[in-house]
Amino acid sequence: MPDTIDADWTEHLSRIRHDRDQEAFAEVFGHFAPRVKAFLMRSGATEAQAEDCAQDVMATLWNKAHLYDPGRASPATWIFTIARNRRIDTLRKQRRPEPEDLPWGPEAEPDQEDVVALQQDSDRLAAALADLPEKQRQLIERAYFADLTHSEIAAETGLPLGTIKSRIRLALERLRHKMG
Amino acid sequence: METIRHHLPDDLLMGYAAGSLAEAFNVLIATHLSLCDECRARAGSFDAVGGAILDTSPPRAMAPGALQATLARIDEDPEVSRATHQPERDGTLPAPLTSYVGGGLDSVPWRSIGGGVRDALLPTSNEARVRLLRIPAGMAVPDHGHRGMELTLVLQGAFRDETDRFARGDVEVADEELEHTPVAEEGEDCICLAATDAPLRFKGMIPRIAQSFLRI
Ligand SMILES: [Zn+2]
Ligand SMILES: [Zn+2]
């Protein structure tokens, strides 16, 4: 199977969830594990930490596949949240407080239209991000990858905090405009 | 659900999604999201930005045999994840708080900090602090400024200050520029959750001494 971002990862996760399909898992692993590893290394993890943590994230994906709701998050988004929480847990040794579960929970089968709409939104978002002016995109990536607050980015880049904030605000406005 | 008028700003929701904020702020944000569908949806879109960045970034090759090693981890404990534990339900404290308090409102270990005001510090990492505050109806919190950021989320009752009125679910974001005297409304005690990344600056001498003892 070619490693493209167009692969139907939602369908792969569904096969993992319902059939405990190891072949589907291997393909998801092939695409996402190296991306999770890169994310963790750009967040300050050593190669060994990132390798171990990425394996852990993928094991969590298998073990918690029944909690994945394709009507609420794309596979990439769900995997991102698992990786982020692992990073907080392992590298920062902190708990990650999550909001209260919504009353309707993940048990019911999601509406197929919602799943398709969400996937389309995710594709548009990825395209809109790629389209951002270089400086704006880099700041957003830093905020996610490098585990930096906006003030820390300001200290690191030497740019005034106001500039950082207004560039990020502009980037978000562009994203919203393209999504709207 | 209450009508919430004061929401979380984008930079905080983005920091929560990115995972770059101090635990104390994450507790407050998770609590607001538990009460506010609007911010929950916005937080979801910031998660999606993280997903898009993850998916479109250059990968880093995994070690040889990584897939087999991961499959071995899975085989170790197949059914572990099914055991989900249900946090205690409480009418005033949403789940993130019952989890940090270790129970509902009755379990909060209040201590008196003077003027009838009580507080309880929650156990988080120490680069910022988050505490529950209980202000008797009609009572004021001493006039103060802020050295860093202060987020206040109302859980019960309401308070007013120089800027506006804040009721259940509302968040006030205060920084160096705001100097204020929050006053709890008449009727019932005001219970808030307050997160700060630097000590408050009180104007009067007495609160300042109290501050060094009580680590506000
Ligand atoms: Zn809100
Ligand atoms: Zn204040």
Side-chain angles (χ1 to χ4, degrees):
Chain A
M1 146 137 252
D3 180 36
T4 68
I5 58 169
D6 295 330
D8 188 351
W9 300 121
T10 307
E11 189 263 337
H12 281 66
L13 288 184
S14 159
R15 273 156 61 198
I16 295 171
R17 172 186 182 158
H18 293 291
D19 311 326
R20 309 313 270 162
D21 182 338
Q22 290 209 1
E23 200 177 309
F25 180 73
E27 284 166 10
V28 170
F29 188 96
H31 180 75
F32 284 105
R35 287 173 168 78
V36 169
K37 183 173 176 180
F39 163 66
L40 293 164
M41 289 183 70
R42 288 180 69 180
S43 307
T46 64
E47 170 131 31
Q49 279 173 327
E51 173 75 30
D52 181 59
C53 214
Q55 290 187 22
D56 223 56
V57 167
M58 299 315 287
T60 303
L61 177 145
W62 174 277
N63 289 333
K64 294 199 168 169
H66 62 288
L67 294 176
Y68 173 62
D69 179 351
R72 273 166 56 185
S74 74
T77 298
W78 186 56
I79 293 168
F80 164 75
T81 61
I82 298 174
R84 171 200 65 204
N85 291 2
R86 262 265 159 262
R87 182 185 75 196
I88 293 174
D89 193 45
T90 313
L91 301 183
R92 295 176 71 175
K93 312 258 183 275
Q94 293 179 8
R95 287 172 68 188
R96 165 76 182 186
E98 294 286 347
E100 195 160 302
D101 280 341
L102 295 170
W104 54 86
E107 298 308 329
E109 279 302 314
D111 186 338
Q112 208 45 41
E113 269 176 44
D114 290 348
V115 175
V116 171
L118 187 90
Q119 196 49 54
Q120 286 169 347
D121 275 358
S122 306
D123 294 345
R124 274 158 70 208
L125 179 59
L129 259 177
D131 259 8
L132 284 179
E134 184 69 9
K135 283 179 177 171
Q136 290 176 13
R137 193 174 45 80
Q138 277 180 359
L139 278 182
I140 296 223
E141 285 195 3
R142 274 188 112 84
Y144 278 86
F145 275 130
D147 192 12
L148 296 175
T149 62
H150 296 175
S151 332
E152 286 163 344
I153 296 174
E156 209 195 78
T157 56
L159 290 168
L161 181 59
T163 308
I164 304 278
K165 286 196 168 179
S166 65
R167 264 188 205 167
I168 288 180
R169 195 163 51 236
L170 267 177
L172 294 177
E173 272 165 24
R174 274 176 204 259
L175 290 181
R176 283 185 178 130
H177 182 71
K178 297 221 170 177
M179 300 299 291
Chain B
M1 189 163 274
E2 303 76 10
T3 311
I4 297 175
R5 294 167 50 236
H6 299 276
H7 296 277
L8 290 164
D10 275 344
D11 58 341
L12 288 172
L13 283 176
M14 188 170 163
Y16 178 74
S20 58
L21 302 180
E23 189 182 359
F25 288 104
N26 286 342
V27 171
L28 188 138
I29 291 167
T31 305
H32 179 78
L33 298 186
S34 303
L35 298 170
C36 179
D37 289 343
E38 187 185 319
C39 286
R40 194 194 279 258
R42 278 164 64 221
S45 67
F46 282 111
D47 282 346
V49 171
I53 292 174
L54 178 78
D55 206 22
T56 54
S57 295
R60 174 95 181 186
M62 294 293 283
L67 174 60
Q68 292 316 313
T70 304
L71 288 170
R73 289 187 193 201
I74 287 165
D75 290 338
E76 280 164 20
D77 42 14
E79 283 299 310
V80 173
S81 55
R82 295 264 163 193
T84 50
H85 90 115
Q86 210 54 9
E88 190 167 332
R89 293 266 155 191
D90 183 275
T92 308
L93 307 183
L97 290 181
T98 56
S99 152
Y100 273 81
V101 165
L105 196 54
D106 295 342
S107 313
V108 175
W110 297 111
R111 61 177 187 166
S112 177
I113 55 173
V117 179
R118 286 180 286 166
D119 86 342
L121 195 63
L122 303 184
T124 63
S125 64
N126 58 12
E127 71 266 48
R129 297 179 188 287
V130 63
R131 70 188 61 239
L132 284 159
L133 276 171
R134 183 170 195 135
I135 308 155
M139 189 72 82
V141 169
D143 186 11
H144 64 277
H146 311 91
R147 289 201 183 87
M149 184 169 39
E150 178 190 57
L151 299 181
T152 309
L153 166 66
V154 179
L155 297 163
Q156 176 188 299
F159 75 81
R160 281 176 192 279
D161 68 8
E162 289 78 348
T163 66
D164 209 337
R165 173 179 189 268
F166 298 84
R168 180 167 166 89
D170 285 330
V171 184
E172 179 173 48
V173 182
D175 60 15
E176 279 91 349
E177 273 137 56
L178 180 71
E179 188 123 344
H180 66 162
T181 311
V183 180
E185 266 183 13
E186 296 293 345
E188 65 181 329
D189 288 0
C190 180
I191 298 178
C192 302
L193 185 68
T196 49
D197 60 2
L200 303 180
R201 235 166 345 120
F202 286 104
K203 278 178 135 181
M205 189 57 195
I206 306 285
R208 207 177 287 239
I209 293 168
Q211 183 180 2
S212 59
F213 281 115
L214 300 172
R215 299 187 310 164
I216 288 182

